[in-house]
C-alpha cells in the first residue's frame, strides 16, 4: 500500500496495489487509513467479487470443454437442468473445489496492516496461504508497480492541471491503461494474459481532459434544465461501460456514455 498524503475527493488518503504475478494484471483500491481493518476488508472483497467469479467462469468452460466430462454431460442429458448441474458438480467435486478456491497464496511485506489476527482469520476462511517478506524488506513486485503508478499519476495530474485531490480517479485510469498495454516482463498484454481476449482501446481518453457531457434524461428533473455540462474526465466505469466525469459546477461525479472530448495536443518528443 502507498500513502498519498493528500485525501482524494472521497476522503481516501492511501491505496492498495494487488498484482497477479503470472499475468502482471493490477488492481488498485483506494482507502482511508483511519478505518480499522480497511485493508483486510479490501482483500476479502477482492477475493469475493473478483477471484471467485473469475474461477467460477473457468469452471463453466472446463465442464463444457474437458473431454473427460463429455460422458457426464450425455449421461444426464435426459434429467432436469438443475438435477443435471447438481450431478455434474457432485461427480467433479474435487475439480470444482480446486478451481473455486482459486487463490492459493498471497505475498505481502511484514507490516502490521497485513500481520494481524483479522487478516489471519479472513485468509483461513478462504483457505489462502500467506507469505511475507523479511522484516524491513519491501516486496519488489508490489513496490515497482506502486512507483510506476504514482509517477504516471503525478505526470497526468500536472499535464491536466488538476488538483491533487483527484489522484484516485487518475490513478485508476493509469492502472486501467497499463493493464491493456504491452508489458515487457511477460512479453504480452496483462489483460489478454488474464482473460484470453484482445482489449478494446477505442474508448481510452486523456486523463483529466475536458469534455462536453450529455446529461441523461433520468438525470434531468425538469425539461428547462441544461442538457449538457462541461466536465473533467476522471475515470472509467467498466461495470456500466461509461465514462466518469467530475462536474465542477455541482462538485459531483457523473457517469455518461455520450460526450465530446477536447483533448490536449500531444507534444512531440
Amino acid at each position: 500500500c502507498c500513502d498519498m498524503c493528500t485525501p482524494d475527493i472521497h476522503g481516501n488518503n492511501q491505496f492498495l496495489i494487488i498484482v497477479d504475478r503470472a499475468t502482471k494484471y493490477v488492481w488498485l483500491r483506494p482507502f482511508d487509513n483511519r478505518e480499522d481493518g480497511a485493508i483486510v476488508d479490501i482483500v476479502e472483497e477482492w477475493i469475493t467479487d473478483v477471484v471467485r467469479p473469475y474461477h467460477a467462469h473457468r469452471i463453466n468452460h472446463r465442464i463444457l470443454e474437458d473431454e473427460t466430462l463429455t460422458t457426464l454431460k450425455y449421461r444426464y442429458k435426459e434429467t432436469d437442468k438443475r438435477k443435471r448441474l447438481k450431478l455434474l458438480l457432485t461427480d467433479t467435486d474435487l475439480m470444482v473445489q480446486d478451481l473455486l478456491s482459486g487463490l492459493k497464496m498471497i505475498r505481502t511485506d511484514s507490516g502490521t496492516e497485513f500481520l494481524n489476527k483479522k487478516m489471519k482469520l479472513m485468509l483461513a476462511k478462504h483457505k489462502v496461504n500467506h507469505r511475507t517478506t523479511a522484516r524491513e524488506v519491501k516486496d519488489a513486485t508490489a513496490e515497482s508497480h506502486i512507483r510506476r503508478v504514482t509517477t504516471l499519476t503525478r505526470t497526468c495530474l500536472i499535464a491536466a492541471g488538476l488538483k491533487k485531490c483527484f489522484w484516485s480517479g487518475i490513478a485508476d485510469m493509469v492502472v486501467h491503461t497499463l493493464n491493456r498495454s504491452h508489458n515487457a516482463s511477460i512479453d504480452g498484454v496483462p489483460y489478454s494474459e488474464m482473460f484470453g481476449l484482445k482489449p478494446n482501446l477505442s474508448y481510452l481518453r486523456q486523463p483529466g481532459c475536458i469534455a462536453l457531457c450529455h446529461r441523461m434524461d433520468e438525470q434531468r428533473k425538469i425539461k428547462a434544465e441544461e442538457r449538457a455540462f462541461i466536465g473533467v474526465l476522471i475515470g472509467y466505469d467498466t461495470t456500466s461501460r461509461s465514462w466518469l466525469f467530475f462536474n465542477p459546477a455541482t462538485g459531483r461525479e457523473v457517469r455518461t456514455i455520450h460526450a465530446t472530448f477536447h483533448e490536449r495536443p500531444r507534444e512531440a518528443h
Side-chain angles (χ1 to χ4, degrees), residues 9-256:
I9 56 178
H10 301 291
N12 301 312
N13 51 14
Q14 291 190 356
F15 68 85
L16 179 69
I17 284 282
I18 303 175
V19 184
D20 178 61
R21 293 177 180 270
T23 63
K24 301 303 180 185
Y25 195 89
V26 180
W27 292 267
L28 183 143
R29 296 290 188 270
F31 67 95
D32 186 354
N33 67 348
R34 291 172 297 182
E35 299 178 3
D36 294 334
I39 292 182
V40 179
D41 295 336
I42 290 174
V43 174
E44 184 168 23
E45 181 183 359
W46 175 73
I47 293 174
T48 304
D49 297 343
V50 178
V51 177
R52 286 189 174 274
Y54 172 78
H55 287 281
H57 182 71
R58 288 182 58 200
I59 290 174
N60 293 333
H61 276 275
R62 186 162 176 180
I63 288 178
L64 294 175
E65 296 176 1
D66 197 323
E67 295 181 358
T68 61
L69 300 177
T70 304
T71 55
L72 291 176
K73 292 161 58 180
Y74 283 108
R75 186 191 308 171
Y76 304 123
K77 70 178 181 179
E78 300 296 335
T79 63
D80 178 80
K81 287 185 177 180
R82 291 186 179 179
K83 292 181 180 178
R84 173 186 166 186
L85 178 60
K86 184 177 180 180
L87 291 170
L88 276 170
L89 294 179
T90 301
D91 283 358
T92 58
D93 184 62
L94 293 177
M95 180 201 73
V96 170
Q97 291 300 322
D98 179 62
L99 283 175
L100 196 57
S101 59
L103 187 64
K104 299 298 183 183
M105 184 265 292
I106 66 169
R107 178 182 170 88
T108 67
D109 58 36
S110 300
T112 55
E113 66 271 23
F114 300 112
L115 293 179
N116 54 66
K117 184 177 181 179
K118 187 176 180 180
M119 176 70 82
K120 184 178 180 180
L121 292 175
M122 186 274 294
L123 293 178
K125 181 178 71 173
H126 294 284
K127 300 180 180 179
V128 179
N129 295 323
H130 186 194
R131 294 185 181 178
T132 61
T133 61
R135 288 184 176 274
E136 307 299 330
V137 176
K138 298 292 185 179
D139 183 83
T141 300
E143 288 300 315
S144 64
H145 280 83
I146 289 174
R147 193 180 307 110
R148 189 177 188 187
V149 169
T150 52
T151 300
L152 292 175
T153 300
R154 181 172 61 250
T155 302
C156 291
L157 288 173
I158 294 173
L162 293 177
K163 293 183 178 180
K164 296 178 181 178
C165 61
F166 292 101
W167 66 262
S168 61
I170 300 301
D172 188 66
M173 293 184 72
V174 167
V175 170
H176 188 91
T177 305
L178 289 176
N179 284 334
R180 289 155 179 78
S181 305
H182 184 269
N183 190 302
S185 62
I186 60 172
D187 193 22
V189 179
Y191 182 90
S192 299
E193 296 295 325
M194 173 65 72
F195 301 106
L197 300 172
K198 183 179 180 180
N200 176 21
L201 307 178
S202 61
Y203 61 89
L204 298 184
R205 297 292 186 271
Q206 284 183 344
C209 68
I210 305 298
L212 183 63
C213 311
H214 174 72
R215 297 186 65 184
M216 311 297 283
D217 291 339
E218 58 270 18
Q219 296 173 353
R220 293 191 297 134
K221 297 180 180 180
I222 58 176
K223 292 185 177 180
E225 287 185 341
E226 63 274 11
R227 300 186 63 181
F229 66 92
I230 297 177
V232 181
L233 179 64
I234 59 172
Y236 306 113
D237 189 342
T238 54
T239 303
S240 61
R241 296 186 178 183
S242 60
W243 290 293
L244 179 62
F245 295 94
F246 177 76
N247 187 346
T250 62
R252 295 183 177 181
E253 295 179 349
V254 180
R255 291 168 174 79
T256 182

